[in-house]
Amino acid sequence: MPFFSVIVPLYNKESFVMNAIQSILSQGFQDFEILIVDDGSTDQSLALVSAIDSASIRILQHETNKGLSAARNTGIRAAQASHIAFLDADDVWKPDYLATIYALLQDFPETQLWATNYEELHPNAVTVVHQNPAFKKEDRTVVADFFASNVGKPIYFPSSFCAAKAVFETIGYYNETLTYAEDVDLNIRANSHYKLAYANKPLVTYTLFSENQITNSHFSSKVIPNFADYDALIQANASLKKYVDFNRYIFAKYYKQEEAWDKFDAIRKEIDTASLNYKQLFLLDAPLFMLLWIKKIKAYFLSKGVLLTTYDR
């Protein structure tokens, strides 16, 4: 029985997937199985991974494309291990990622969720690491308040997240009706019920551009979480309310940038402005031309390796 089951959802990532799989096979901690879930790829992705000679790899297939959540759920259900790690097919792990997760498991036995920091890979090989002020550099700790720590850049992404398999049996799996922010939905349910151990060391490279990436398509066509579904959880956690309103703010900006005015107005009305800082309030109601102008300025500075953000309070 492997210690970790590593779930790799795969859909048309032929230029990236081999680097992702190699980063798993190169881990210092080797007690794992790899479940590659091909979600109906139409490029050479499946052929490439099928040619890898490794007893650690199992390939599961969807005959048709069912979406990212369905691919992850197929992997979770088929996993032999009690600890589930995730790596998207366009991301890569540093060699000590699994060893660090294993150490968190051993050092903080009261936790059922584990994660590390990450670096963002942007076009032109620009790499950015966001350091959350709530944590010291390379801190290893149990997160006191996940939602308060995530009113801004997330402290982890799906590829730097690991959970006990029992967590999914309790809170449910990824919501397959969602086509965007399915990780936000899972984070709310998981972190409302379980403790998270966290290593503030960037051990995952999160690629922000690739073939068929959902963020490259129109946001207004996506199905996002219904935040009203979390009202009962919000009653017990004031930080969750701010986290939900922050995500509403992010989505409202996306809608405005695409001139999806009906959807912008609907989600704008749901936001409690007391949850936002002054920069966010300004951008929320700024004219569209100004929002697009600021977006271009941020893109220019990002190309120079400088991240400008309104996320930090």
Side-chain angles (χ1 to χ4, degrees), residues 111 113-115 141-143 146 155-156 191 194-198:
T111 62
L113 310 173
W114 312 278
T141 186
V142 175
V143 176
F146 170 84
I155 64 172
Y156 66 74
N191 287 280
Y194 295 98
K195 293 181 179 180
L196 168 72
Y198 182 68

Side-chain angles (χ1 to χ4, degrees), residues 175 178 185 188 224-234 248:
N175 186 339
L178 303 179
D185 168 70
I188 290 173
I224 64 173
N226 178 7
F227 290 114
D229 290 344
Y230 313 119
D231 283 348
L233 294 173
I234 287 173
R248 285 174 170 141

Side-chain angles (χ1 to χ4, degrees), residues 177-182 219-226 255 263:
T177 68
L178 303 179
T179 57
Y180 193 88
E182 70 288 330
F219 175 76
S220 55
S221 67
K222 304 305 177 187
V223 179
I224 64 173
N226 178 7
Y255 286 138
K263 292 183 177 181

Side-chain angles (χ1 to χ4, degrees), residues 219-220 248-271 281 283-288 291:
F219 175 76
S220 55
R248 285 174 170 141
Y249 156 75
I250 296 299
F251 299 160
K253 286 203 306 176
Y254 290 164
Y255 286 138
K256 178 181 283 191
Q257 289 168 9
E258 294 184 3
E259 300 184 61
W261 298 114
D262 289 346
K263 292 183 177 181
F264 169 80
D265 289 338
I267 201 167
R268 171 66 178 84
K269 292 175 182 176
E270 295 176 352
I271 299 173
L281 290 172
L283 290 179
L284 185 63
D285 294 321
L288 175 59
L291 200 63

Side-chain angles (χ1 to χ4, degrees), residues 1-2 5 33 35 58 75-76 78-82 84 165:
M1 186 77 69
S5 290
E33 65 169 351
L35 282 73
R58 284 196 284 152
I76 295 167
Q80 296 178 352
S82 298
I84 311 295
K165 187 173 183 178

Side-chain angles (χ1 to χ4, degrees), residues 27 33 60 63 66 70 86 119 124-125 140 177 215 226 242 251 258 285 305:
Q27 289 296 298
E33 65 169 351
L60 309 174
E63 292 185 4
K66 296 182 178 180
F86 299 91
E119 62 183 15
N124 301 318
R140 295 172 66 257
T177 68
T215 49
N226 178 7
K242 290 188 176 182
F251 299 160
E258 294 184 3
D285 294 321

Side-chain angles (χ1 to χ4, degrees), residues 75-97:
I76 295 167
R77 292 187 176 100
Q80 296 178 352
S82 298
H83 307 90
I84 311 295
F86 299 91
L87 181 64
D88 287 350
D90 48 4
D91 299 335
V92 296
W93 285 346
K94 306 292 186 183
D96 54 340
Y97 173 74

Side-chain angles (χ1 to χ4, degrees), residues 11-38:
Y11 179 64
N12 290 357
K13 294 292 192 300
E14 63 182 13
S15 298
F16 297 86
V17 65
M18 295 301 284
N19 287 336
I21 301 303
Q22 186 57 50
S23 78
I24 304 172
L25 295 174
S26 300
Q27 289 296 298
F29 186 95
Q30 284 284 305
D31 189 4
F32 57 76
E33 65 169 351
I34 304 172
L35 282 73
I36 301 174
V37 185
D38 181 69

